[in-house]
Amino acid sequence: AMKKCTDFLYDLHRKEFEDGFISMNVLKCGSSCNQVASTAYAEGTIRALSSKSEKQMMNWLKGYEGSFMFSSGYPVLRNASSLVECALHCGAKLLDSPMFICDDFAYYAQCLPSVYVLMGMKSEFPLHHADFEFDDEMLEKGVDFMIKMLENL
């Protein structure tokens, strides 16, 4: 089981998808260090910019021996182009490439024109880390930015 799992992960690492990726973040094989594992379990996420790409990745996974369970996560977060232009006019900068952010904000963006803006929080720890420290000064900067956007709509 361990060999099949590592072969799968090796193939996955080499595979390039057009506009997305598959990430396996949990790997469990066997239950003891002195036995050959008869089962392996991998858990991960599919991040895609389109449902077509997501289906291609799911089909690629189904080509491997074993069973795969899929559950839906957050939808693709799509910014309204008019609000992107407004945000740029107000001082925002475009990223060099798309980010595969999972956020419940994507549900709002499906219902109303929206734009997802990263406010530049700098911390030595990532956002959901226990030692992450929020910079209170960013609240004022964020409110100022939103007011500027409202004034420019």
Side-chain angles (χ1 to χ4, degrees), residues 16-92:
E16 290 187 24
F17 296 101
E18 187 175 328
D19 61 355
F21 63 91
I22 301 171
S23 174
M24 292 295 167
N25 303 313
V26 175
L27 175 61
K28 296 177 185 176
C29 298
S31 58
S32 175
C33 65
N34 62 350
Q35 294 176 335
V36 175
S38 61
T39 61
Y41 169 83
E43 186 177 321
T45 182
I46 292 176
R47 303 279 177 99
L49 295 178
S50 70
S51 56
K52 178 184 173 190
S53 247
E54 182 179 40
K55 286 178 185 171
Q56 287 173 338
M57 287 184 248
M58 287 179 173
N59 289 334
W60 184 84
L61 286 170
K62 289 176 184 174
Y64 280 86
E65 182 181 337
S67 60
F68 292 91
M69 294 174 22
F70 298 101
S71 60
S72 296
Y74 295 112
V76 174
L77 195 158
R78 299 217 180 270
N79 291 321
S81 58
S82 61
L83 293 177
V84 169
E85 291 302 319
C86 182
L88 291 171
H89 178 75
C90 294

Side-chain angles (χ1 to χ4, degrees), residues 3 17 34 46 51 80 91 94 139 141 144-145 153:
K3 168 100 171 75
F17 296 101
N34 62 350
I46 292 176
S51 56
L94 285 179
L139 286 174
K141 291 179 181 180
D144 290 344
F145 181 79
L153 284 178

Side-chain angles (χ1 to χ4, degrees), residues 13 40 48-49 82 91-92 104 112 141 143:
H13 178 72
L49 295 178
S82 61
D104 54 1
L112 297 167
K141 291 179 181 180
V143 168

